[in-house]
Amino acid sequence: QLLHVRAIRVNLIPEIEDACRDALSEFCSHNVKPSEEMMCLQQNFETDSFKRKYGQCFTQLTKFTEMEAKDTKLNRALSKACKPVISTHCAQFALEDIDHGDVLECLVNNKDAKEMTTKCRSYVNHFELISLRDYHFSYKFQKACAADIEQNCRDHNNDKGEIIRCLSEVRFEHKVLGSPKDLTDDCKKQLKVAYLQQEQ
């Protein structure tokens, strides 16, 4: 009953509530404040032990995290914590029906804004780390580079760091060694953004 109450309080969608109740108990029953349960699950769900033990929960969290990357409004805790920054710097993106990652990108670009609070920055950093571990959680990168990844880097699992290195090799071989193979223009742009994220 307690787990059910917590799942409702964190506004977990029914599929996640049903699939992740035991995982919520194991990973997020201590030192997790109200509304931070989803963040807690996302911090743990990409480990091999989590995938083995809670496969259904992993699948549902993966789907939801991909949707969050596409539309920041689904991330209620982030939207609430970052409201001042969004209102001041990212309003044009927030008004879109689906922001396609623009709001999150805008928040990343405004981490030093005076409206940025510690709580908002921690949510933004959290999502950046998730998206660096798996390129599917970086909507713009995935959309821009899907064909390039399929063509050149399909053996690198979903690890965004490995994929960035692989795509960089394609660029290097084209620019420096004169290889005819190159990346698409949209992917080149997103690769630059990914470099900056990695440096941070």
Side-chain angles (χ1 to χ4, degrees):
Q1 188 183 5
L2 177 63
L3 290 174
H4 181 70
V5 167
R6 290 193 69 183
I8 289 172
R9 189 181 66 207
V10 75
N11 292 322
L12 291 177
I13 55 177
E15 292 87 348
I16 292 178
E17 182 196 338
D18 293 340
C20 298
R21 212 170 285 164
D22 291 340
L24 196 64
S25 170
E26 181 176 342
F27 290 97
C28 309
S29 59
H30 304 293
N31 302 320
V32 175
K33 295 173 187 167
S35 84
E36 291 182 359
E37 286 93 341
M38 180 65 82
M39 191 169 168
C40 170
L41 287 171
Q42 285 173 328
Q43 281 170 339
N44 292 286
F45 83 118
E46 291 174 294
T47 61
D48 289 334
S49 58
F50 191 105
K51 290 178 197 176
R52 276 196 304 273
K53 196 169 182 183
Y54 303 112
Q56 198 181 351
C57 177
F58 171 78
T59 301
Q60 293 300 332
L61 282 170
T62 299
K63 281 184 195 170
F64 183 71
T65 307
E66 281 188 40
M67 289 193 299
E68 272 188 327
K70 188 175 181 180
D71 191 4
T72 312
K73 286 190 284 292
L74 290 173
N75 194 330
R76 292 189 183 102
L78 180 144
S79 297
K80 187 177 176 185
C82 298
K83 196 173 181 181
V85 191
I86 293 170
S87 300
T88 308
H89 300 282
C90 315
Q92 71 273 33
F93 306 122
L95 295 172
E96 297 170 2
D97 288 340
I98 297 175
D99 66 63
H100 297 100
D102 288 329
V103 170
L104 201 59
E105 191 177 306
C106 176
L107 287 170
V108 169
N109 293 335
N110 286 283
K111 271 204 248 185
D112 296 324
K114 66 178 189 293
E115 297 85 0
M116 179 64 73
T117 62
T118 307
K119 194 167 187 179
C120 176
R121 189 179 286 109
S122 74
Y123 279 118
V124 174
N125 287 341
H126 160 74
F127 212 87
E128 271 194 294
L129 286 171
I130 290 176
S131 71
L132 279 172
R133 290 199 297 267
D134 187 330
Y135 82 94
H136 289 100
F137 304 141
S138 179
Y139 177 74
K140 286 191 155 187
F141 183 85
Q142 180 192 1
K143 193 165 187 295
C145 295
D148 299 273
I149 292 166
E150 177 63 25
Q151 190 177 353
N152 303 291
C153 312
R154 69 174 81 172
D155 299 331
H156 292 277
N157 299 319
N158 296 329
D159 186 297
K160 192 174 177 186
E162 285 185 27
I163 285 168
I164 288 169
R165 280 191 291 278
C166 171
L167 293 173
S168 295
E169 282 175 22
V170 175
R171 285 292 289 142
F172 174 79
E173 287 173 10
H174 174 76
K175 288 188 85 172
V176 179
L177 305 178
S179 165
K181 196 193 305 183
D182 195 13
L183 304 178
T184 58
D185 289 343
D186 285 346
C187 186
K188 287 176 202 170
K189 287 175 195 164
Q190 284 305 311
L191 197 57
K192 284 180 185 174
V193 174
Y195 286 148
L196 290 172
Q197 281 185 325
Q198 278 195 324
E199 282 174 17
Q200 286 175 350

